[in-house]
CSV table of all heavy atoms in Angstrom, one decimal:
chain,number,residue,atom,x,y,z
A,1,PHE,N,-6.7,7.1,8.8
A,1,PHE,CA,-5.2,7.0,8.7
A,1,PHE,C,-4.9,5.6,9.0
A,1,PHE,O,-5.7,4.8,9.6
A,1,PHE,CB,-4.5,7.9,9.7
A,1,PHE,CG,-4.7,7.5,11.1
A,1,PHE,CD1,-3.7,6.9,11.7
A,1,PHE,CD2,-5.8,7.9,11.9
A,1,PHE,CE1,-3.8,6.5,13.1
A,1,PHE,CE2,-5.9,7.5,13.2
A,1,PHE,CZ,-4.9,6.8,13.8
A,2,GLY,N,-3.8,5.1,8.5
A,2,GLY,CA,-3.4,3.7,8.7
A,2,GLY,C,-2.0,3.4,8.4
A,2,GLY,O,-1.2,4.2,7.9
A,3,TYR,N,-1.6,2.1,8.5
A,3,TYR,CA,-0.3,1.6,8.3
A,3,TYR,C,-0.5,0.2,7.5
A,3,TYR,O,-1.3,-0.6,8.0
A,3,TYR,CB,0.4,1.4,9.5
A,3,TYR,CG,1.8,0.7,9.4
A,3,TYR,CD1,2.9,1.5,9.1
A,3,TYR,CD2,1.9,-0.7,9.7
A,3,TYR,CE1,4.2,0.8,9.0
A,3,TYR,CE2,3.2,-1.3,9.5
A,3,TYR,CZ,4.3,-0.6,9.1
A,3,TYR,OH,5.5,-1.1,9.0
A,4,SER,N,0.2,0.1,6.4
A,4,SER,CA,0.1,-1.2,5.6
A,4,SER,C,1.5,-1.6,5.3
A,4,SER,O,2.0,-1.2,4.2
A,4,SER,CB,-0.7,-0.9,4.4
A,4,SER,OG,-0.8,-2.1,3.7
A,5,GLY,N,2.1,-2.3,6.2
A,5,GLY,CA,3.6,-2.6,6.0
A,5,GLY,C,3.7,-3.9,5.2
A,5,GLY,O,4.9,-4.4,5.0
A,6,VAL,N,2.6,-4.5,4.7
A,6,VAL,CA,2.8,-5.7,3.8
A,6,VAL,C,2.4,-5.4,2.3
A,6,VAL,O,3.2,-5.5,1.4
A,6,VAL,CB,1.8,-6.8,4.3
A,6,VAL,CG1,1.9,-8.0,3.3
A,6,VAL,CG2,2.2,-7.2,5.7
A,7,LYS,N,1.3,-4.7,2.2
A,7,LYS,CA,0.8,-4.3,0.8
A,7,LYS,C,1.4,-3.0,0.3
A,7,LYS,O,1.4,-2.7,-0.8
A,7,LYS,CB,-0.7,-4.3,0.7
A,7,LYS,CG,-1.4,-5.6,0.9
A,7,LYS,CD,-2.9,-5.6,0.8
A,7,LYS,CE,-3.4,-4.9,-0.5
A,7,LYS,NZ,-4.9,-4.9,-0.5
A,8,PHE,N,1.7,-2.1,1.3
A,8,PHE,CA,2.1,-0.8,1.0
A,8,PHE,C,1.0,-0.1,0.2
A,8,PHE,O,-0.1,-0.3,0.4
A,8,PHE,CB,3.4,-0.7,0.3
A,8,PHE,CG,4.6,-1.2,1.1
A,8,PHE,CD1,4.9,-2.5,1.3
A,8,PHE,CD2,5.4,-0.2,1.8
A,8,PHE,CE1,6.0,-2.8,2.0
A,8,PHE,CE2,6.4,-0.6,2.6
A,8,PHE,CZ,6.8,-1.9,2.8
A,9,GLY,N,1.3,0.8,-0.7
A,9,GLY,CA,0.4,1.5,-1.6
A,9,GLY,C,0.1,2.9,-1.3
A,9,GLY,O,-0.7,3.5,-2.0
A,10,GLY,N,0.7,3.5,-0.3
A,10,GLY,CA,0.3,4.8,0.1
A,10,GLY,C,0.8,5.9,-0.9
A,10,GLY,O,0.4,7.1,-0.8
A,11,HIS,N,1.8,5.6,-1.7
A,11,HIS,CA,2.3,6.6,-2.7
A,11,HIS,C,1.5,6.6,-4.0
A,11,HIS,O,2.1,6.5,-5.1
A,11,HIS,CB,3.8,6.4,-3.0
A,11,HIS,CG,4.7,6.4,-1.8
A,11,HIS,ND1,6.0,5.9,-1.7
A,11,HIS,CD2,4.5,7.1,-0.6
A,11,HIS,CE1,6.5,6.2,-0.5
A,11,HIS,NE2,5.6,6.9,0.2
A,12,ALA,N,0.2,6.6,-3.8
A,12,ALA,CA,-0.7,6.6,-5.0
A,12,ALA,C,-2.0,7.2,-4.6
A,12,ALA,O,-2.3,7.5,-3.4
A,12,ALA,CB,-1.0,5.1,-5.4
A,13,GLY,N,-2.8,7.5,-5.6
A,13,GLY,CA,-4.1,8.1,-5.5
A,13,GLY,C,-5.1,7.3,-4.6
A,13,GLY,O,-6.0,8.0,-3.9
A,14,TYR,N,-5.0,6.0,-4.7
A,14,TYR,CA,-5.9,5.2,-4.0
A,14,TYR,C,-5.1,3.9,-3.5
A,14,TYR,O,-4.2,3.5,-4.1
A,14,TYR,CB,-7.1,4.7,-4.9
A,14,TYR,CG,-8.1,5.7,-5.3
A,14,TYR,CD1,-7.8,6.6,-6.3
A,14,TYR,CD2,-9.3,5.9,-4.5
A,14,TYR,CE1,-8.7,7.6,-6.7
A,14,TYR,CE2,-10.2,6.9,-4.9
A,14,TYR,CZ,-9.9,7.7,-6.0
A,14,TYR,OH,-10.8,8.7,-6.4
A,15,LEU,N,-5.6,3.3,-2.4
A,15,LEU,CA,-5.1,2.1,-1.9
A,15,LEU,C,-6.2,1.3,-1.3
A,15,LEU,O,-7.2,1.8,-0.9
A,15,LEU,CB,-3.9,2.2,-1.0
A,15,LEU,CG,-4.1,3.0,0.4
A,15,LEU,CD1,-4.9,2.1,1.4
A,15,LEU,CD2,-2.7,3.2,1.0
A,16,THR,N,-6.0,0.0,-1.2
A,16,THR,CA,-6.9,-0.9,-0.4
A,16,THR,C,-6.2,-1.4,0.8
A,16,THR,O,-5.0,-1.7,0.9
A,16,THR,CB,-7.4,-2.1,-1.3
A,16,THR,OG1,-6.3,-2.8,-1.7
A,16,THR,CG2,-8.2,-1.6,-2.4
A,17,VAL,N,-7.0,-1.5,2.0
A,17,VAL,CA,-6.5,-2.0,3.2
A,17,VAL,C,-7.5,-2.8,3.9
A,17,VAL,O,-8.7,-2.5,3.8
A,17,VAL,CB,-6.0,-0.8,4.0
A,17,VAL,CG1,-7.2,0.1,4.3
A,17,VAL,CG2,-5.4,-1.2,5.4
A,18,THR,N,-7.1,-3.8,4.6
A,18,THR,CA,-8.1,-4.7,5.3
A,18,THR,C,-8.7,-3.8,6.4
A,18,THR,O,-8.0,-3.2,7.2
A,18,THR,CB,-7.3,-5.9,5.9
A,18,THR,OG1,-6.7,-6.6,4.9
A,18,THR,CG2,-8.4,-6.8,6.6
A,19,ALA,N,-10.0,-3.9,6.5
A,19,ALA,CA,-10.8,-3.1,7.5
A,19,ALA,C,-10.4,-3.4,9.0
A,19,ALA,O,-10.6,-2.6,9.9
A,19,ALA,CB,-12.3,-3.3,7.2
A,20,THR,N,-10.0,-4.7,9.2
A,20,THR,CA,-9.6,-5.1,10.5
A,20,THR,C,-8.1,-4.8,10.9
A,20,THR,O,-7.7,-5.2,11.9
A,20,THR,CB,-10.0,-6.6,10.8
A,20,THR,OG1,-9.3,-7.4,9.8
A,20,THR,CG2,-11.5,-6.8,10.7
A,21,GLY,N,-7.4,-4.2,9.9
A,21,GLY,CA,-6.0,-4.0,10.0
A,21,GLY,C,-5.7,-2.7,10.8
A,21,GLY,O,-6.6,-2.2,11.6
A,22,MET,N,-4.6,-2.2,10.6
A,22,MET,CA,-4.1,-1.0,11.3
A,22,MET,C,-4.6,0.2,10.6
A,22,MET,O,-3.9,0.9,10.0
A,22,MET,CB,-2.6,-1.1,11.3
A,22,MET,CG,-2.0,-0.4,12.6
A,22,MET,SD,-0.2,-0.7,12.8
A,22,MET,CE,0.0,0.0,14.5
A,23,VAL,N,-5.9,0.5,10.9
A,23,VAL,CA,-6.6,1.6,10.3
A,23,VAL,C,-7.5,2.2,11.3
A,23,VAL,O,-8.2,1.4,12.0
A,23,VAL,CB,-7.3,1.3,8.9
A,23,VAL,CG1,-8.2,0.2,9.2
A,23,VAL,CG2,-7.9,2.5,8.3
A,24,ALA,N,-7.7,3.5,11.4
A,24,ALA,CA,-8.6,4.1,12.4
A,24,ALA,C,-9.1,5.5,11.8
A,24,ALA,O,-8.5,6.1,10.9
A,24,ALA,CB,-7.9,4.3,13.7
A,25,GLU,N,-10.1,6.1,12.4
A,25,GLU,CA,-10.7,7.3,11.9
A,25,GLU,C,-9.7,8.4,12.5
A,25,GLU,O,-9.1,8.4,13.6
A,25,GLU,CB,-12.0,7.6,12.6
A,25,GLU,CG,-12.7,8.8,12.1
A,25,GLU,CD,-14.2,8.9,12.4
A,25,GLU,OE1,-14.6,8.2,13.4
A,25,GLU,OE2,-14.9,9.7,11.8
A,26,ILE,N,-9.5,9.4,11.6
A,26,ILE,CA,-8.7,10.6,12.0
A,26,ILE,C,-9.4,11.4,13.0
A,26,ILE,O,-10.6,11.7,12.8
A,26,ILE,CB,-8.4,11.4,10.7
A,26,ILE,CG1,-7.6,10.6,9.7
A,26,ILE,CG2,-7.5,12.7,11.1
A,26,ILE,CD1,-7.3,11.4,8.4
A,27,PRO,N,-8.7,11.8,14.1
A,27,PRO,CA,-9.4,12.6,15.1
A,27,PRO,C,-9.8,13.9,14.6
A,27,PRO,O,-9.2,14.5,13.5
A,27,PRO,CB,-8.3,12.8,16.2
A,27,PRO,CG,-7.4,11.7,16.0
A,27,PRO,CD,-7.4,11.4,14.5
A,28,ALA,N,-10.8,14.6,15.1
A,28,ALA,CA,-11.3,15.9,14.6
A,28,ALA,C,-10.2,16.9,14.7
A,28,ALA,O,-9.3,16.8,15.7
A,28,ALA,CB,-12.4,16.3,15.5
A,29,ASP,N,-10.1,17.8,13.8
A,29,ASP,CA,-9.2,19.0,13.8
A,29,ASP,C,-7.7,18.5,13.5
A,29,ASP,O,-6.8,19.3,13.7
A,29,ASP,CB,-9.2,19.7,15.2
A,29,ASP,CG,-10.5,20.3,15.5
A,29,ASP,OD1,-11.2,20.8,14.5
A,29,ASP,OD2,-10.9,20.3,16.7
A,30,VAL,N,-7.5,17.3,13.0
A,30,VAL,CA,-6.3,16.8,12.6
A,30,VAL,C,-6.3,16.7,11.1
A,30,VAL,O,-7.2,16.0,10.5
A,30,VAL,CB,-5.9,15.5,13.3
A,30,VAL,CG1,-4.6,14.9,12.6
A,30,VAL,CG2,-5.8,15.6,14.7
A,31,SER,N,-5.4,17.3,10.3
A,31,SER,CA,-5.4,17.3,8.9
A,31,SER,C,-4.9,15.9,8.4
A,31,SER,O,-4.3,15.2,9.1
A,31,SER,CB,-4.6,18.4,8.3
A,31,SER,OG,-3.2,18.2,8.6
A,32,TYR,N,-5.1,15.7,7.1
A,32,TYR,CA,-4.5,14.5,6.4
A,32,TYR,C,-3.0,14.5,6.6
A,32,TYR,O,-2.4,13.5,6.9
A,32,TYR,CB,-4.9,14.5,5.0
A,32,TYR,CG,-6.4,14.2,4.8
A,32,TYR,CD1,-7.2,15.1,4.1
A,32,TYR,CD2,-7.0,13.0,5.2
A,32,TYR,CE1,-8.5,14.9,3.9
A,32,TYR,CE2,-8.3,12.8,5.0
A,32,TYR,CZ,-9.1,13.7,4.3
A,32,TYR,OH,-10.5,13.5,4.1
A,33,VAL,N,-2.3,15.7,6.3
A,33,VAL,CA,-0.9,15.8,6.4
A,33,VAL,C,-0.5,15.4,7.9
A,33,VAL,O,0.5,14.6,8.1
A,33,VAL,CB,-0.4,17.1,6.1
A,33,VAL,CG1,1.0,17.4,6.5
A,33,VAL,CG2,-0.5,17.3,4.6
A,34,GLU,N,-1.1,15.9,8.9
A,34,GLU,CA,-0.8,15.6,10.3
A,34,GLU,C,-1.1,14.2,10.7
A,34,GLU,O,-0.4,13.6,11.5
A,34,GLU,CB,-1.6,16.6,11.2
A,34,GLU,CG,-1.2,18.0,11.1
A,34,GLU,CD,-2.1,19.0,11.7
A,34,GLU,OE1,-3.3,18.6,11.8
A,34,GLU,OE2,-1.7,20.1,12.2
A,35,ALA,N,-2.1,13.6,10.1
A,35,ALA,CA,-2.4,12.2,10.4
A,35,ALA,C,-1.6,11.2,9.8
A,35,ALA,O,-1.4,10.1,10.3
A,35,ALA,CB,-3.9,12.0,10.0
A,36,SER,N,-1.0,11.5,8.6
A,36,SER,CA,-0.3,10.4,7.8
A,36,SER,C,0.9,9.8,8.6
A,36,SER,O,1.2,8.6,8.4
A,36,SER,CB,0.2,11.0,6.5
A,36,SER,OG,1.0,12.1,6.6
């Protein structure tokens, strides 16, 4: 899950995000909808 307040792109099938940016692994038992 992540946040991209400069490039945006979440309203699409794919996006790119810097690996050192605001992105992390979704905790176990948390769905994509709950993580977004």
Side-chain angles (χ1 to χ4, degrees):
F1 69 98
Y3 175 82
S4 180
V6 177
K7 292 178 63 176
F8 291 86
H11 298 162
Y14 291 86
L15 63 71
T16 55
V17 60
T18 305
T20 56
M22 212 168 188
V23 58
E25 187 171 18
I26 298 174
D29 301 323
V30 175
S31 69
Y32 291 118
V33 164
E34 294 167 331
S36 59

